[in-house]
Amino acid sequence: MLKQSSVLAAAVMLASQSMASGFKINEQAASGAGRAFAGSAAVAKDASVVFFNPAGMSRLERSQASFGFTYLNLDGEFSGERIDGAGMSSNLPKTAQTPFGEAGVYNDGGNFLDNKLIPFGYYVHKLDDKAAVGLGIFAPFGTSTNYDQGSLAGGFADETQLSAIDIQPTFSYQVTDTFSFGVGIDIVYAKGLLSKELDLVPLAGAYKAAQAGQQINPEDYRGYENKFEVSGDDIGYGWNFGLMWDVTPSTTLGFAYRSDVDFELEGKSKFEKSEGVVAYSASSNKIVPADTDAAQTELNALRTAIAGSPSTTPLNAAGQPATGKIEKQDSRVPLTGPRSATISVAHDFNDRLQLLAGATWTDWSSFKYFDVIATDEGVIDDIAGLGENYIGHIVEKWNDTVSYSVGAEYLLNEDWTLRTGYAFDESPVNSEHRTARVPDNDRQWLTAGATYTLNNHWSFDAGIAYLFIDKTKIDEYNYDLNDQQKGKDNLKGEYDVNALGLSFQMNYRL
């Protein structure tokens, strides 16, 4: 088969789109958002404690429900340069001397981050003064990005969609007046899709093939010729637990742990245009059907001629007539949601002011590679040229991270509580392997929020968070299974990303 790893070096499906780094989502409660989630594992004020620390459920005075959403307004821009498989720059102008120039053909991708609405809901039922059960439904991670068609980044990343829903039943028990614990089970459904545009025939190669006598129109190969897409879904399982301890009457410590969750997103890999697919073979300087090994085709033609037949019909590796038809191929995408641990402290400075702080460690170093692997016979993994049934292999080698947050809440009166916070969120991305799907960097965010208590049953929370992130440089290549750079395809440039989050939550106490 034609060996061009740049054709299908599929990229990571989990671009950073939420306010958290990597592909985690922090937007699980409006009450926490207003203080940058500082101290969230050490406070129990509404049913969202199901997510942040189930140990706090038994500390709630009554059964209650909390539900709401976060709206993310996101803006992401890219500027830079693309190098194609022939080593030619997207900035190279078309002239008589360089007819393969593609300056002006590609766009910058537009705003590649989609705005998003993230819902959440929780319910806590008090069994008695010491025990409680709860249920949470929320999004633990996810993303939605989409570059404009024909973008500079399209050869590495086009569209990315990932959604996950976590259904978490929990139990909590108040062991003593100052100590409680909680445990939970995570049942997570994840569904994802990724695509990338394909430059199967670099324009310079098309001109070389035409100059060698092949009857083609090189202009037909300006820009991308096709698109690759893979999608799949799976259900994964995990667990979590939490502890909450009143060190003094005014100071509470909290600890919460979440296990990793493994997925095998199983689905289909496909070409958007599956008929008449061709690719350029540098070894023979020809454009051939994509299901044909050019060297094997020439050998078969020679053998046919020696046998006395004038036929030179291209044959694929199986000896069948090559058609350039690319069928769908079953594939899987191994994926792990990382484990994490949070420690929090909440201190009542006086009757009105509460000070909060916290830190969260996330095991991002477990995310070393992102792979798309064929699970049945087909052509796509052969075209990828990686071997061992791999369709895509992306080197990530992320690093463990620690995020920090501080915040405060002030009881203005019996109706209003005000809050504010600051957080520093460290990026897990190794700058050497930063990808167009995860142009992530360290981030800081400032937050503010409030709670309005309407009556003994109803209260409402609102929060706003603005994210600050430095401009991010990228220098992305394709790699083989030995993590060595493969091919000349390259994306080099700079990202500018901004984000604003608005959260709203309603709480009902039974």
Side-chain angles (χ1 to χ4, degrees):
M1 299 303 298
L2 187 65
K3 303 301 181 183
Q4 285 189 330
S5 64
S6 62
V7 171
L8 292 176
V12 66
M13 185 164 52
L14 305 168
S16 172
Q17 184 220 352
S18 69
M19 299 287 277
S21 62
F23 53 83
K24 288 176 65 177
I25 288 179
N26 272 345
E27 293 75 28
Q28 281 90 13
S31 55
R35 49 181 156 76
F37 301 102
S40 290
V43 294
K45 297 181 178 181
D46 58 56
S48 66
V49 74
V50 169
F51 172 81
F52 294 104
N53 187 346
M57 295 192 307
S58 57
R59 295 177 174 233
L60 296 175
E61 293 182 359
R62 291 184 285 171
S63 298
Q64 57 187 275
S66 297
F67 48 95
F69 63 87
T70 294
Y71 173 75
L72 297 179
N73 184 276
L74 303 160
D75 182 72
E77 298 178 353
F78 173 75
S79 60
E81 176 188 17
R82 173 182 184 263
I83 304 298
D84 69 13
M88 298 301 167
S89 169
S90 59
N91 295 329
L92 184 67
K94 179 182 177 182
T95 67
Q97 291 74 33
T98 58
F100 38 82
E102 290 186 297
V105 172
Y106 303 99
N107 61 69
D108 62 8
N111 179 13
F112 63 91
L113 292 177
D114 294 335
N115 295 336
K116 203 69 174 177
L117 190 70
I118 303 173
F120 52 80
Y122 310 93
Y123 175 71
V124 174
H125 177 69
K126 296 280 291 186
L127 299 175
D128 53 37
D129 291 341
K130 291 183 176 294
V133 293
L135 180 70
I137 302 176
F138 53 88
F141 49 80
T143 188
S144 176
T145 63
N146 193 359
Y147 291 87
D148 290 347
Q149 294 297 297
S151 74
L152 291 165
F156 285 91
D158 175 45
E159 183 179 2
T160 303
Q161 299 287 340
L162 175 71
S163 57
I165 298 175
D166 191 327
I167 300 175
Q168 178 188 304
T170 53
F171 171 78
S172 175
Y173 191 78
Q174 187 82 26
V175 181
T176 69
D177 290 341
T178 61
F179 181 78
S180 60
F181 76 91
V183 294
I185 298 173
D186 294 286
I187 306 168
V188 188
Y189 172 75
K191 180 178 181 180
L193 175 149
L194 71 85
S195 67
K196 62 174 292 184
E197 296 188 86
L198 303 177
D199 188 6
L200 301 176
V201 182
L203 189 57
Y207 272 95
K208 287 181 180 178
Q211 290 167 0
Q214 191 165 8
Q215 298 300 308
I216 61 168
N217 179 12
E219 295 301 302
D220 292 341
Y221 303 99
R222 192 176 296 278
Y224 303 111
E225 296 87 47
N226 213 325
K227 187 166 80 170
F228 166 77
E229 180 181 297
V230 60
S231 61
D233 62 354
D234 191 22
I235 296 178
Y237 302 90
W239 53 275
N240 62 87
F241 78 91
L243 308 171
M244 204 173 282
W245 175 37
D246 297 327
V247 181
T248 71
S250 59
T251 304
T252 301
L253 291 178
F255 176 80
Y257 176 86
R258 285 188 171 275
S259 73
D260 54 11
V261 181
D262 292 326
F263 302 95
E264 289 280 343
L265 302 181
E266 298 182 344
K268 298 283 187 180
S269 292
K270 66 179 183 179
F271 276 21
E272 183 178 67
K273 300 175 184 177
S274 60
E275 301 282 349
V277 182
V278 296
Y280 175 70
S281 170
S283 62
S284 61
N285 191 23
K286 287 185 176 182
I287 297 175
V288 298
D291 60 345
T292 300
D293 182 306
Q296 185 68 33
T297 297
E298 294 166 0
L299 180 59
N300 286 334
L302 177 61
R303 288 175 175 170
T304 301
I306 293 175
S309 171
S311 173
T312 58
T313 301
L315 304 179
N316 59 26
Q320 302 298 318
T323 63
K325 186 174 182 178
I326 308 298
E327 300 283 2
K328 294 179 181 179
Q329 191 167 8
D330 290 340
S331 56
R332 63 184 178 91
V333 179
L335 172 67
T336 297
R339 56 182 176 154
S340 64
T342 298
I343 186 167
S344 296
V345 59
H347 175 69
D348 295 328
F349 187 78
N350 54 41
D351 291 342
R352 291 182 177 271
L353 179 63
Q354 185 180 50
L355 304 177
L356 307 107
T360 297
W361 167 82
T362 305
D363 182 28
W364 285 120
S365 62
S366 62
F367 186 34
K368 297 184 183 299
Y369 302 102
F370 181 85
D371 296 316
V372 182
I373 305 170
T375 56
D376 69 346
E377 295 294 329
V379 174
I380 297 179
D381 64 314
D382 290 330
I383 295 175
L386 291 168
E388 300 181 23
N389 297 323
Y390 276 70
I391 292 174
H393 174 71
I394 301 299
V395 179
E396 293 294 345
K397 297 186 178 179
W398 282 12
N399 305 310
D400 290 351
T401 63
V402 179
S403 62
Y404 308 90
S405 59
V406 294
E409 292 194 354
Y410 184 74
L411 182 63
L412 185 64
N413 52 47
E414 62 180 12
D415 296 330
W416 286 96
T417 300
L418 307 180
R419 56 181 62 92
T420 188
Y422 164 83
F424 174 78
D425 205 0
E426 188 179 15
S427 170
V429 174
N430 184 329
S431 59
E432 180 183 356
H433 297 118
R434 183 174 285 118
T435 69
R437 294 189 189 271
V438 191
D440 200 24
N441 207 341
D442 296 345
R443 60 196 66 198
Q444 303 178 70
W445 32 309
L446 296 177
T447 68
T451 298
Y452 173 67
T453 302
L454 179 65
N455 53 42
N456 194 38
H457 293 288
W458 286 98
S459 65
F460 304 90
D461 296 285
I464 183 171
Y466 186 78
L467 177 147
F468 300 86
I469 184 169
D470 294 335
K471 290 186 177 181
T472 303
K473 294 187 180 299
I474 187 172
D475 190 9
E476 183 177 1
Y477 289 90
N478 292 316
Y479 293 89
D480 62 21
L481 297 184
N482 294 317
D483 299 348
Q484 299 299 309
Q485 182 181 322
K486 188 176 179 67
K488 298 179 181 180
D489 293 87
N490 173 236
L491 180 68
K492 186 175 297 184
E494 186 175 74
Y495 282 93
D496 188 6
V497 176
N498 297 282
L500 176 70
L502 301 173
S503 300
F504 179 75
Q505 177 179 322
M506 294 183 287
N507 310 292
Y508 180 75
R509 294 175 291 277
L510 278 67

